[in-house]
Amino acid sequence: MTDALKLGFGPFTSAGKLGSSGVLIVFCDDGLKFGAASAKALGSATGLVARAAKTERFTGKSGSALELIVPGGLNVARLVVIGTGKAAGLEAKEFLKLGGAAMGKLPASASEGVVFAETSKGAMTANQAADLAQGVVLRAYAFDRYKTQRKDEDKPPAKRSLTVATGDIAGARKAYESRAGVAYGVLMARDLVNEPANVLHPEEFARRTLALKKTGVAVEVLDIEAMKKLGMGALLGVGQGSVRESRVVVMRWNGGKKSDAPVAFIGKGVCFDTGGISIKPAAAMEDMKGDMAGAACVVGLMQALAARKAKVNAVGVIGIVENMPDGNAQRPGDIVTSMSGQTIEIINTDAEGRLVLADVVWYTAKRFKPKFMVDLATLTGAIIVALGQEYAGMFSNDDKLSERLTKAGEATGELVWRMPLNAAYDKMIDSKIADMKNTGGSRWGGAITAAQFIQRFVSGKTPWAHLDIAGTGFDSRSSDINKSWGSGWGVRLLDRLVADYYEK
Ligand code: BES
Ligand code: MN
Ligand code: ZN
């Protein structure tokens, strides 16, 4: 999953033990001011730093860095100064980002580093140091399992260690436990998204979710027979053109009171989306190995909730299929019957995600009667046209849930923007000969008509939100805490939603 990075916590005096091959990383603000421990560690190199800052026009802007190689007066290979901008009032997501920036400055050639959990305002709190550490781990991730021919000089050292130096080692370690659980969930999601579709087909995806059992998650896999019995004709229709069998996986974490209704998370897991008979053009089709990012997020989230022993009952349900053109594939014009009993005229076999969700959303609502449902799906190109890669599109029948998701988004930096739903859009998916059709008929409002389609399978008054993550789930903007193609987007957002509102 990631280069063997050994992350630890230690005292500020750890810097003294670095030696001539180590890297020392400290923070300064936009007035080039250091905290006391950092200033002390710099000692006689302070003047050198000031001169280098001037030469490099380094002003301590947030996330910017100044690097000094074999700095005179310090027994280290490299000194890295990272700017925090204004040091007052930094939020959790900013400490995360600083940790990512710090990890980014631990060069592949270095085997040992120390980063000071201190700003110009003084030592970071235990929580802040733990946020920093989480940022380190998220940044350290690389999907390199298929890189077999790297030359020795390009390989990272077999053992790399980074010590987070803090005034409160025990406190930081404790605060880090839950964050490590969440970080591991994000990395798990990234691994699933990055994995190619010849390896990660539906059965293999289902098999990998069994790893969650180790953390106390109950995992149940529904095979074709079980799905047929339930009447999941919409989901099964999508998978019927593939030699790989479809699966539904149900994951349950019971950390709350027995009598409490669960919160539910649902994911689109299209292991590869060729478009089916309505086949996609060749350009960038390879990206469609990531069309299961919604399902990957749900798996990572369940892992995270269990790892940090969240005081909540949560279910994760994912529909896993492969959308292929084949002699047995579904055709445009076909009519399928969903588990809800509603019939669907297939206009375009490339609008397959909503068909998968139709059955898993209905199934989840009926079986678990959840407090709310959030589904995630790389559902439409249209949402990328609307929002780019900065926000995921959010569609919801519930203002309270929407507001909470928006707040959790702002706190974590995984942003969501609410989009409209209404009767006029809903009408656009009426069919002449079936209960509905699977596209809106034109490209206009394509993300909205897709959401309207899903809403027809949200029974009754269950609070529901649909997150269209086509722009954020993969190939996303590289950031201080992610350099990977698969982003693991949504794990931190939904973990935060649960932590802030549903564990009391
Ligand atoms: N998986 C795609 C959406 C997608 C496109 C995700 C690009 C990420 C990047 C989805 O199944 C799809 O093909 N949607 C169609 C719907 C259309 C046929 C109504 C689309 O967006 O073009
Ligand atoms: Mn498609
Ligand atoms: Zn798709």
Side-chain angles (χ1 to χ4, degrees):
M1 173 184 296
T2 178
D3 310 342
L5 175 76
K6 222 175 125 260
L7 180 86
F9 294 89
F12 287 117
T13 50
S14 310
K17 299 196 200 103
L18 269 175
S20 58
S21 64
V23 182
L24 174 60
I25 306 169
V26 294
F27 297 102
C28 76
D29 65 18
D30 54 8
L32 299 185
K33 265 189 64 198
F34 292 93
S38 308
K40 189 168 168 218
L42 293 188
S44 64
T46 308
L48 198 64
V49 171
R51 270 169 54 208
K54 205 159 182 199
T55 318
E56 290 286 284
R57 293 189 180 172
F58 173 78
T59 58
K61 271 202 292 238
S62 173
S64 68
L66 176 71
E67 288 177 83
L68 280 77
I69 320 293
V70 283
L74 271 183
N75 187 27
V76 295
R78 195 182 276 254
L79 168 68
V80 182
V81 180
I82 294 177
T84 62
K86 299 245 167 313
L90 295 179
E91 293 172 37
K93 65 180 173 197
E94 286 154 320
F95 288 100
L96 202 73
K97 178 178 147 159
L98 291 176
M103 182 61 211
K105 290 297 174 189
L106 190 68
S109 57
S111 57
E112 212 179 342
V114 170
V115 55
F116 273 31
E118 183 192 52
T119 69
S120 64
K121 297 283 176 214
M124 294 178 195
T125 64
N127 281 339
Q128 293 165 344
D131 286 330
L132 182 90
Q134 194 189 37
V136 166
V137 172
L138 292 177
R139 174 63 176 264
Y141 172 86
F143 184 73
D144 50 12
R145 83 169 48 132
Y146 298 106
K147 281 272 179 204
T148 69
Q149 305 291 309
R150 274 199 296 218
K151 297 193 200 77
D152 278 347
E153 64 263 35
D154 297 332
K155 282 186 194 152
K159 264 209 331 257
R160 303 172 88 193
S161 77
L162 186 65
T163 302
V164 177
T166 160
D168 178 7
I169 301 171
R173 253 191 212 132
K174 183 91 197 60
Y176 178 63
E177 272 173 27
S178 63
R179 286 158 176 90
V182 176
Y184 182 66
V186 174
L187 303 195
M188 194 168 179
R190 286 183 190 168
D191 261 354
L192 289 166
V193 177
N194 285 324
E195 200 69 87
N198 60 328
V199 176
L200 196 81
H201 47 76
E203 274 178 81
E204 171 62 11
F205 193 137
R207 194 189 66 78
R208 289 198 189 185
T209 64
L210 299 179
L212 268 62
K213 286 183 173 175
K214 275 192 287 226
T215 354
V217 176
V219 184
E220 206 180 314
V221 179
L222 309 189
D223 61 11
I224 300 269
E225 272 318 300
M227 288 184 267
K228 274 191 183 148
K229 264 202 200 128
L230 289 163
M232 293 186 167
L235 185 154
L236 288 168
V238 176
Q240 79 187 27
S242 172
V243 296
R244 304 291 187 177
E245 284 191 10
S246 303
R247 292 286 182 265
V248 163
V249 179
V250 179
M251 294 157 277
R252 270 177 298 171
W253 165 251
N254 291 320
K257 284 197 228 80
K258 229 184 175 150
S259 56
D260 263 7
V263 297
F265 301 97
I266 298 161
K268 166 179 173 181
V270 177
C271 290
F272 196 80
D273 181 13
T274 62
I277 295 299
S278 314
I279 199 163
K280 287 179 180 296
M285 200 205 271
E286 68 278 10
D287 282 357
M288 287 300 111
K289 74 170 186 176
D291 209 17
M292 29 55 70
C297 171
V298 171
V299 175
L301 173 68
M302 294 304 290
Q303 166 70 31
L305 293 176
R308 68 171 184 79
K309 302 207 164 29
K311 292 187 183 57
V312 71
N313 296 332
V315 300
V317 184
I318 57 177
I320 337 177
V321 304
E322 187 179 48
N323 188 21
M324 296 292 268
D326 167 84
N328 193 45
Q330 116 177 314
R331 292 151 290 256
D334 284 5
I335 295 178
V336 295
T337 302
S338 66
M339 182 182 168
S340 72
Q342 300 175 94
T343 57
I344 305 160
E345 182 187 9
I346 309 296
I347 301 300
N348 189 319
T349 64
D350 196 13
E352 85 297 341
R354 64 198 75 181
L355 297 167
V356 173
L357 288 173
D359 279 336
V360 283
V361 164
W362 181 266
Y363 172 76
T364 305
K366 286 285 150 215
R367 176 165 170 197
F368 296 107
K369 304 189 174 52
K371 225 174 251 169
F372 68 78
M373 304 191 280
V374 175
D375 78 71
L376 300 102
T378 47
L379 204 65
T380 66
I383 201 67
I384 314 179
V385 175
L387 298 174
Q389 298 187 302
E390 305 304 321
Y391 284 78
M394 171 171 69
F395 301 81
S396 180
N397 61 2
D398 190 86
D399 291 344
K400 193 169 88 183
L401 180 59
S402 300
E403 209 173 284
R404 290 175 170 185
L405 277 163
T406 301
K407 288 218 174 97
E410 277 158 8
T412 55
E414 295 189 327
L415 299 168
V416 298
W417 193 265
R418 192 169 182 185
M419 304 280 286
L421 292 166
N422 79 10
Y425 292 119
D426 184 70
K427 205 169 171 334
M428 289 166 73
I429 54 169
D430 282 343
S431 159
K432 279 209 173 106
I433 56 169
D435 296 331
M436 70 194 85
K437 55 188 182 185
N438 79 330
T439 68
S442 88
R443 291 164 54 207
W444 294 6
I448 307 174
T449 46
Q452 294 288 170
F453 184 94
I454 299 167
Q455 192 177 21
R456 291 198 184 194
F457 299 87
V458 178
S459 67
K461 291 191 172 55
T462 314
W464 155 79
H466 155 60
L467 304 180
D468 193 334
I469 62 169
T472 56
F474 54 76
D475 196 21
S476 50
R477 206 167 33 74
S478 106
S479 73
D480 283 321
I481 54 167
N482 182 41
K483 295 291 163 194
S484 147
W485 186 80
S487 62
W489 193 97
V491 174
R492 290 187 303 110
L493 167 77
L494 297 174
D495 175 70
R496 186 70 183 236
L497 175 78
V498 171
D500 283 356
Y501 302 102
Y502 299 96
E503 288 191 57
K504 273 144 223 158

